[in-house]
Amino acid sequence: MSTTTSHTPGPEGPPRPVRLIQNEATTEIPVHLLFRDEPEPVSVPPRPAVVGRRQGTGEQPRLRRPAPEKARHAPQVDPALVERPARVLPGAVGVFAGACGVAGGLATTWWAGALPPLAVQALGLPSYTGAGLGPAQWAAYAGAGALGLFGFGGLARVRTGRASVLGLFGRYRGTVRRTGLMWVNPLLLRRRVDVRLRHWRSDEMPAADASGVALRVAVLVVWRVRDTARATLGVEDHERYLRECVEAALARVPVETHGSGRGCVDAAGEALTRLVAGDTAPVGIEVFSVRPSLVEYAPEVADAMQRRRIAALDAQHRATALTSVVDSVEDTVTRLTMRGLVELDDYERKALVKDLTVAFCAGRAEATS
């Protein structure tokens, strides 16, 4: 590397020398450009003049930014599988079509002459000897039967709080949320779904607290089906999927016992609700709350935790009793000394404190027993 000096003319006065760095691998670079104090733009990073690092240029290696961690995504189903209303007709249309089919069958029977005389008189039809059962009569029978079957076979009654998911040859054709009597294409497969607000109380499931102690937890889940198409066709069994999501959430969220405070239990319920709602939303299930209704220790650790709790309560009781006795002794000695009832030196004071402590502890033990 060699350093040369060139002269750059200034705006006023004689030209000033400018130092340059030059070697066989680089071009001439002014020295003052390597140590500029000018602030660089924040929004757009400067583009380096040299892409790779070359020996002898003094260029620093380019630092690569760490790739961002991939965010956890909820399970996805077919984006085209979204609930949409199905095409149905009022129930009166089906009743009318079925009645027309029955009337057509009776008329064809009268036309063929197979209708009994009593039926002819009851229906008020004119007497007719009949043309017999020929191809025309059989075709009329087929048409009337098909009309009657389609008319009465397509009648459906949807109750309040229920919905019917319709499909044809494995393809989703829509959802019926209307209530009452209506006519649906009888070729469509119907699946009834309960869309009411529902609650489910689980059996005791395994869980753990923040310390890793095994627990048995029962939760109360309030939920409903929001998208019938995804709930029915997106998963095999949406109720079973909900139960498994609750079990998975309990394995990830530590649950504290009711003795730890109401705030801990509420915080666990909010975390469970958030996790379960995020896992079940893609399959059309809306979860409102997941609250622990029963929290107890597992049978294998229940006895040990009970003994530990009793020991902690006993130690707390002893500490409280000792604090009360010490305060009482201090108050008694202070009053006796300040009122001038006794004059005590250090030895006498210690003896009095000892006697009062023993007396107060004995009296508290007798009162407790």
Side-chain angles (χ1 to χ4, degrees), residues 211-234:
S211 302
V213 179
L215 300 175
R216 305 294 294 179
V217 180
V219 296
L220 179 65
V221 184
V222 181
W223 64 285
R224 71 175 178 182
V225 174
R226 178 176 52 85
D227 192 312
T228 57
R230 293 189 174 186
T232 306
L233 306 176

Side-chain angles (χ1 to χ4, degrees), residues 264-349:
C264 297
V265 178
D266 292 342
E270 293 177 359
L272 289 173
T273 303
R274 184 170 59 255
L275 288 177
V276 176
D279 291 339
T280 57
V283 297
I285 298 178
E286 185 176 7
V287 177
F288 296 94
S289 67
V290 182
R291 301 294 178 183
S293 59
L294 175 63
V295 181
E296 60 182 14
Y297 291 106
E300 59 270 15
V301 298
D303 295 338
M305 296 306 298
Q306 185 69 17
R307 290 194 299 269
R308 179 180 176 182
R309 177 175 295 180
I310 292 175
L313 292 176
D314 184 64
Q316 183 179 3
H317 175 71
R318 290 176 181 273
T320 303
L322 182 59
T323 302
S324 178
V325 169
V326 171
D327 293 341
S328 300
V329 171
E330 181 182 5
D331 184 62
T332 303
V333 174
T334 302
R335 288 186 179 185
L336 291 175
T337 305
M338 293 183 62
R339 294 183 181 181
L341 299 178
V342 293
E343 295 181 1
L344 305 172
D345 56 9
D346 293 341
Y347 178 77
E348 293 175 344
R349 181 185 295 274

Side-chain angles (χ1 to χ4, degrees), residues 105-343:
L106 292 176
T108 304
T109 305
W110 173 81
W111 180 25
L115 193 65
L118 294 177
V120 173
Q121 294 178 2
L123 295 175
L125 298 176
S127 59
Y128 180 67
T129 58
L133 292 176
Q137 286 75 16
W138 285 115
Y141 270 127
L147 184 60
L149 289 177
F150 264 79
F152 290 125
L155 293 177
R157 182 174 63 92
V158 181
R159 295 183 295 174
T160 303
R162 301 291 196 278
S164 294
V165 179
L166 307 181
L168 180 62
F169 305 120
R171 184 178 179 183
Y172 174 63
R173 305 299 296 176
T175 300
V176 180
R177 284 184 177 263
R178 295 169 53 183
T179 58
L181 185 65
M182 61 195 67
W183 185 85
V184 183
N185 187 351
L187 298 178
L188 297 177
L189 178 63
R190 310 170 193 177
R191 298 183 182 180
R192 299 188 183 276
V193 182
D194 192 343
V195 295
R196 295 175 296 179
L197 186 66
R198 305 170 63 183
H199 68 278
W200 168 63
R201 187 183 187 277
S202 69
D203 298 331
E204 294 184 2
M205 294 183 292
D209 60 5
S211 302
V213 179
L215 300 175
R216 305 294 294 179
V217 180
V219 296
L220 179 65
V221 184
V222 181
W223 64 285
R224 71 175 178 182
V225 174
R226 178 176 52 85
D227 192 312
T228 57
R230 293 189 174 186
T232 306
L233 306 176
V235 290
E236 183 178 358
D237 187 352
H238 62 276
E239 295 184 2
R240 180 180 177 184
Y241 179 77
L242 175 63
R243 292 194 295 268
E244 294 177 352
C245 287
V246 172
E247 294 180 4
L250 282 175
R252 289 180 287 173
V253 177
V255 181
E256 299 296 336
T257 58
H258 291 284
S260 303
R262 186 177 183 84
C264 297
V265 178
D266 292 342
E270 293 177 359
L272 289 173
T273 303
R274 184 170 59 255
L275 288 177
V276 176
D279 291 339
T280 57
V283 297
I285 298 178
E286 185 176 7
V287 177
F288 296 94
S289 67
V290 182
R291 301 294 178 183
S293 59
L294 175 63
V295 181
E296 60 182 14
Y297 291 106
E300 59 270 15
V301 298
D303 295 338
M305 296 306 298
Q306 185 69 17
R307 290 194 299 269
R308 179 180 176 182
R309 177 175 295 180
I310 292 175
L313 292 176
D314 184 64
Q316 183 179 3
H317 175 71
R318 290 176 181 273
T320 303
L322 182 59
T323 302
S324 178
V325 169
V326 171
D327 293 341
S328 300
V329 171
E330 181 182 5
D331 184 62
T332 303
V333 174
T334 302
R335 288 186 179 185
L336 291 175
T337 305
M338 293 183 62
R339 294 183 181 181
L341 299 178
V342 293
E343 295 181 1

Side-chain angles (χ1 to χ4, degrees), residues 34 48-63:
L34 299 177
V50 183
V51 177
R53 182 179 182 181
R54 293 182 295 183
Q55 185 177 4
T57 61
E59 180 188 356
Q60 297 297 326
R62 185 183 303 177
L63 299 178

